[in-house]
Short mmCIF file of all heavy atoms in Angstrom, two decimals:
data_model
loop_
_atom_site.label_atom_id
_atom_site.label_comp_id
_atom_site.label_asym_id
_atom_site.label_seq_id
_atom_site.Cartn_x
_atom_site.Cartn_y
_atom_site.Cartn_z
N HIS Y 1 81.57 51.82 54.69
CA HIS Y 1 80.72 52.24 53.61
C HIS Y 1 79.83 53.53 53.96
O HIS Y 1 78.91 53.82 53.22
CB HIS Y 1 79.79 51.10 53.07
CG HIS Y 1 80.63 49.85 52.73
ND1 HIS Y 1 81.50 49.86 51.59
CD2 HIS Y 1 80.71 48.68 53.33
CE1 HIS Y 1 82.04 48.64 51.52
NE2 HIS Y 1 81.57 47.92 52.54
N ASP Y 2 80.06 53.98 55.18
CA ASP Y 2 79.26 55.15 55.63
C ASP Y 2 80.08 56.40 55.21
O ASP Y 2 81.20 56.65 55.76
CB ASP Y 2 78.99 55.03 57.12
CG ASP Y 2 78.03 56.10 57.58
OD1 ASP Y 2 78.17 57.34 57.15
OD2 ASP Y 2 77.06 55.74 58.36
N ASP Y 3 79.52 57.30 54.42
CA ASP Y 3 80.28 58.48 53.94
C ASP Y 3 80.60 59.37 55.12
O ASP Y 3 81.71 60.05 55.15
CB ASP Y 3 79.48 59.23 52.90
CG ASP Y 3 79.35 58.44 51.60
OD1 ASP Y 3 80.24 57.58 51.40
OD2 ASP Y 3 78.35 58.62 50.87
N ASN Y 4 79.71 59.51 56.09
CA ASN Y 4 79.92 60.32 57.26
C ASN Y 4 81.11 59.80 58.09
O ASN Y 4 81.95 60.61 58.57
CB ASN Y 4 78.67 60.45 58.09
CG ASN Y 4 77.53 61.21 57.42
OD1 ASN Y 4 77.76 62.13 56.67
ND2 ASN Y 4 76.33 60.72 57.66
N LEU Y 5 81.09 58.53 58.29
CA LEU Y 5 82.24 57.93 59.01
C LEU Y 5 83.55 58.06 58.27
O LEU Y 5 84.59 58.37 58.85
CB LEU Y 5 81.95 56.46 59.24
CG LEU Y 5 83.05 55.63 59.99
CD1 LEU Y 5 83.42 56.27 61.30
CD2 LEU Y 5 82.56 54.16 60.23
N LEU Y 6 83.58 57.94 57.00
CA LEU Y 6 84.73 58.05 56.15
C LEU Y 6 85.30 59.45 56.26
O LEU Y 6 86.54 59.67 56.36
CB LEU Y 6 84.51 57.72 54.70
CG LEU Y 6 84.18 56.23 54.42
CD1 LEU Y 6 83.82 56.03 52.95
CD2 LEU Y 6 85.32 55.31 54.75
N GLN Y 7 84.42 60.44 56.27
CA GLN Y 7 84.84 61.84 56.33
C GLN Y 7 85.46 62.09 57.74
O GLN Y 7 86.49 62.82 57.87
CB GLN Y 7 83.68 62.78 56.14
CG GLN Y 7 84.04 64.26 56.10
CD GLN Y 7 82.85 65.15 55.78
OE1 GLN Y 7 81.74 64.62 55.57
NE2 GLN Y 7 83.12 66.44 55.68
N LEU Y 8 84.89 61.52 58.85
CA LEU Y 8 85.49 61.75 60.16
C LEU Y 8 86.85 61.08 60.31
O LEU Y 8 87.78 61.76 60.83
CB LEU Y 8 84.54 61.07 61.18
CG LEU Y 8 83.22 61.83 61.45
CD1 LEU Y 8 82.33 60.89 62.34
CD2 LEU Y 8 83.43 63.20 62.02
N ILE Y 9 87.02 59.89 59.71
CA ILE Y 9 88.35 59.27 59.77
C ILE Y 9 89.39 60.08 58.99
O ILE Y 9 90.52 60.21 59.44
CB ILE Y 9 88.22 57.81 59.23
CG1 ILE Y 9 87.36 56.90 60.14
CG2 ILE Y 9 89.59 57.15 59.16
CD1 ILE Y 9 87.07 55.59 59.59
N ASP Y 10 88.96 60.54 57.83
CA ASP Y 10 89.90 61.27 57.00
C ASP Y 10 90.35 62.56 57.67
O ASP Y 10 91.49 62.97 57.66
CB ASP Y 10 89.24 61.63 55.60
CG ASP Y 10 90.23 62.22 54.65
OD1 ASP Y 10 91.18 61.53 54.38
OD2 ASP Y 10 89.95 63.37 54.21
N THR Y 11 89.46 63.18 58.39
CA THR Y 11 89.68 64.48 59.06
C THR Y 11 90.63 64.13 60.30
O THR Y 11 91.63 64.87 60.54
CB THR Y 11 88.46 65.11 59.63
OG1 THR Y 11 87.61 65.39 58.53
CG2 THR Y 11 88.78 66.42 60.30
N ALA Y 12 90.42 63.04 60.97
CA ALA Y 12 91.27 62.68 62.13
C ALA Y 12 92.72 62.33 61.74
O ALA Y 12 93.67 62.67 62.46
CB ALA Y 12 90.65 61.54 62.89
N LEU Y 13 92.79 61.71 60.58
CA LEU Y 13 94.18 61.38 60.17
C LEU Y 13 95.00 62.54 59.75
O LEU Y 13 96.23 62.46 59.71
CB LEU Y 13 94.11 60.43 58.95
CG LEU Y 13 93.50 59.05 59.28
CD1 LEU Y 13 93.48 58.21 58.03
CD2 LEU Y 13 94.27 58.32 60.40
N VAL Y 14 94.35 63.69 59.62
CA VAL Y 14 95.04 64.95 59.27
C VAL Y 14 95.29 65.81 60.58
O VAL Y 14 96.38 66.43 60.76
CB VAL Y 14 94.32 65.76 58.25
CG1 VAL Y 14 95.03 67.13 57.99
CG2 VAL Y 14 94.23 65.02 56.93
N ASN Y 15 94.26 65.85 61.43
CA ASN Y 15 94.30 66.81 62.55
C ASN Y 15 94.60 66.21 63.90
O ASN Y 15 94.85 66.96 64.84
CB ASN Y 15 92.89 67.49 62.61
CG ASN Y 15 92.54 68.31 61.36
OD1 ASN Y 15 93.46 68.75 60.63
ND2 ASN Y 15 91.30 68.52 61.07
N ASN Y 16 94.53 64.95 64.04
CA ASN Y 16 94.71 64.31 65.41
C ASN Y 16 96.01 64.63 65.97
O ASN Y 16 97.07 64.42 65.32
CB ASN Y 16 94.51 62.82 65.32
CG ASN Y 16 94.54 62.17 66.76
OD1 ASN Y 16 95.50 61.71 67.19
ND2 ASN Y 16 93.42 62.17 67.42
N GLN Y 17 96.05 65.23 67.22
CA GLN Y 17 97.30 65.65 67.80
C GLN Y 17 98.23 64.52 68.16
O GLN Y 17 99.46 64.66 67.90
CB GLN Y 17 97.01 66.47 69.10
CG GLN Y 17 96.41 67.78 68.75
CD GLN Y 17 94.83 67.76 68.55
OE1 GLN Y 17 94.26 66.75 68.62
NE2 GLN Y 17 94.30 68.92 68.28
N GLU Y 18 97.72 63.42 68.68
CA GLU Y 18 98.64 62.33 69.03
C GLU Y 18 99.28 61.74 67.83
O GLU Y 18 100.52 61.40 67.86
CB GLU Y 18 97.82 61.28 69.80
CG GLU Y 18 97.28 61.72 71.14
CD GLU Y 18 96.65 60.57 71.93
OE1 GLU Y 18 96.84 59.38 71.46
OE2 GLU Y 18 95.99 60.83 72.93
N LEU Y 19 98.57 61.69 66.75
CA LEU Y 19 99.15 61.15 65.51
C LEU Y 19 100.21 62.07 64.99
O LEU Y 19 101.27 61.61 64.49
CB LEU Y 19 98.04 60.95 64.50
CG LEU Y 19 98.46 60.25 63.15
CD1 LEU Y 19 99.07 58.91 63.38
CD2 LEU Y 19 97.32 60.19 62.21
N ASN Y 20 99.95 63.34 65.08
CA ASN Y 20 101.01 64.35 64.57
C ASN Y 20 102.25 64.30 65.49
O ASN Y 20 103.33 64.52 64.99
CB ASN Y 20 100.38 65.76 64.59
CG ASN Y 20 99.38 65.94 63.50
OD1 ASN Y 20 99.57 65.37 62.38
ND2 ASN Y 20 98.38 66.76 63.76
N ILE Y 21 102.11 63.99 66.74
CA ILE Y 21 103.26 63.88 67.67
C ILE Y 21 104.06 62.65 67.18
O ILE Y 21 105.34 62.72 67.17
CB ILE Y 21 102.77 63.70 69.11
CG1 ILE Y 21 102.15 65.02 69.59
CG2 ILE Y 21 103.96 63.31 69.99
CD1 ILE Y 21 101.58 64.91 70.96
N ILE Y 22 103.44 61.58 66.83
CA ILE Y 22 104.18 60.36 66.37
C ILE Y 22 104.85 60.63 65.07
O ILE Y 22 106.02 60.21 64.82
CB ILE Y 22 103.22 59.19 66.25
CG1 ILE Y 22 102.76 58.77 67.69
CG2 ILE Y 22 103.81 58.03 65.57
CD1 ILE Y 22 101.80 57.58 67.69
N LEU Y 23 104.18 61.40 64.21
CA LEU Y 23 104.86 61.73 62.88
C LEU Y 23 106.13 62.52 63.14
O LEU Y 23 107.11 62.32 62.39
CB LEU Y 23 103.87 62.57 62.02
CG LEU Y 23 102.61 61.76 61.49
CD1 LEU Y 23 101.75 62.76 60.72
CD2 LEU Y 23 103.06 60.56 60.68
N ASN Y 24 106.17 63.40 64.12
CA ASN Y 24 107.39 64.12 64.42
C ASN Y 24 108.42 63.16 65.01
O ASN Y 24 109.64 63.39 64.83
CB ASN Y 24 107.09 65.28 65.37
CG ASN Y 24 106.52 66.47 64.59
OD1 ASN Y 24 107.20 67.28 64.07
ND2 ASN Y 24 105.13 66.60 64.64
N GLU Y 25 108.02 62.18 65.83
CA GLU Y 25 108.94 61.24 66.35
C GLU Y 25 109.67 60.43 65.17
O GLU Y 25 110.75 60.05 65.30
CB GLU Y 25 108.25 60.29 67.32
CG GLU Y 25 107.83 60.95 68.57
CD GLU Y 25 107.10 60.01 69.50
OE1 GLU Y 25 106.90 58.82 69.12
OE2 GLU Y 25 106.76 60.37 70.65
N ILE Y 26 108.83 60.19 64.12
CA ILE Y 26 109.38 59.53 62.98
C ILE Y 26 110.45 60.38 62.29
O ILE Y 26 111.55 59.87 61.91
CB ILE Y 26 108.28 59.21 61.93
CG1 ILE Y 26 107.33 58.11 62.57
CG2 ILE Y 26 108.85 58.66 60.65
CD1 ILE Y 26 106.17 57.86 61.70
N GLU Y 27 110.27 61.64 62.22
CA GLU Y 27 111.25 62.56 61.67
C GLU Y 27 112.51 62.50 62.55
O GLU Y 27 113.69 62.58 62.07
CB GLU Y 27 110.75 63.99 61.58
CG GLU Y 27 109.66 64.09 60.51
CD GLU Y 27 110.25 63.82 59.09
OE1 GLU Y 27 111.41 64.26 58.87
OE2 GLU Y 27 109.53 63.14 58.31
N ILE Y 28 112.36 62.44 63.88
CA ILE Y 28 113.48 62.39 64.76
C ILE Y 28 114.30 61.15 64.50
O ILE Y 28 115.53 61.09 64.42
CB ILE Y 28 113.04 62.49 66.24
CG1 ILE Y 28 112.43 63.88 66.46
CG2 ILE Y 28 114.25 62.24 67.26
CD1 ILE Y 28 111.83 63.97 67.85
N ALA Y 29 113.64 59.96 64.39
CA ALA Y 29 114.30 58.68 64.11
C ALA Y 29 114.90 58.76 62.75
O ALA Y 29 116.03 58.14 62.58
CB ALA Y 29 113.25 57.58 64.17
N LYS Y 30 114.33 59.46 61.80
CA LYS Y 30 114.98 59.51 60.45
C LYS Y 30 116.26 60.32 60.55
O LYS Y 30 117.25 60.00 59.94
CB LYS Y 30 114.00 60.22 59.55
CG LYS Y 30 114.48 60.30 58.05
CD LYS Y 30 113.40 60.85 57.21
CE LYS Y 30 113.87 60.94 55.76
NZ LYS Y 30 112.78 61.52 54.85
N ASN Y 31 116.29 61.43 61.31
CA ASN Y 31 117.48 62.18 61.46
C ASN Y 31 118.57 61.38 62.19
O ASN Y 31 119.75 61.65 61.96
CB ASN Y 31 117.11 63.44 62.19
CG ASN Y 31 116.30 64.39 61.40
OD1 ASN Y 31 116.39 64.38 60.16
ND2 ASN Y 31 115.50 65.19 62.08
N GLU Y 32 118.19 60.49 63.11
CA GLU Y 32 119.14 59.68 63.80
C GLU Y 32 119.91 58.75 62.81
O GLU Y 32 121.09 58.50 63.01
CB GLU Y 32 118.47 58.85 64.90
CG GLU Y 32 119.36 57.97 65.76
CD GLU Y 32 120.26 58.88 66.65
OE1 GLU Y 32 119.91 59.99 66.88
OE2 GLU Y 32 121.27 58.28 67.10
N ILE Y 33 119.27 58.42 61.74
CA ILE Y 33 119.97 57.55 60.74
C ILE Y 33 121.09 58.41 60.13
O ILE Y 33 122.19 57.90 59.87
CB ILE Y 33 118.95 57.13 59.64
CG1 ILE Y 33 117.89 56.18 60.31
CG2 ILE Y 33 119.68 56.34 58.58
CD1 ILE Y 33 116.80 55.79 59.34
N ARG Y 34 120.78 59.62 59.83
CA ARG Y 34 121.79 60.53 59.22
C ARG Y 34 122.97 60.71 60.14
O ARG Y 34 124.13 60.79 59.74
CB ARG Y 34 121.16 61.85 58.87
CG ARG Y 34 120.00 61.71 57.84
CD ARG Y 34 119.43 63.08 57.52
NE ARG Y 34 120.35 63.94 56.87
CZ ARG Y 34 120.11 65.19 56.44
NH1 ARG Y 34 118.89 65.66 56.71
NH2 ARG Y 34 121.00 65.88 55.87
#
């Protein structure tokens, strides 16, 4: 319920490098299905 904390989490879910690496791994796994 803290607006400052919510803004930090929202920013991290867009910019965090480790998370973006995993998102690309998901794309690789998706292409493996094809």
Side-chain angles (χ1 to χ4, degrees):
H1 305 292
D2 191 312
D3 292 337
N4 294 322
L5 176 57
L6 292 176
Q7 185 176 3
L8 289 173
I9 295 175
D10 189 59
T11 303
L13 295 181
V14 176
N15 299 334
N16 184 264
Q17 287 82 4
E18 293 185 13
L19 183 58
N20 288 326
I21 291 173
I22 292 181
L23 292 177
N24 282 277
E25 291 179 357
I26 293 176
E27 289 298 319
I28 295 173
K30 184 177 180 180
N31 292 330
E32 184 67 19
I33 298 175
R34 301 179 64 180

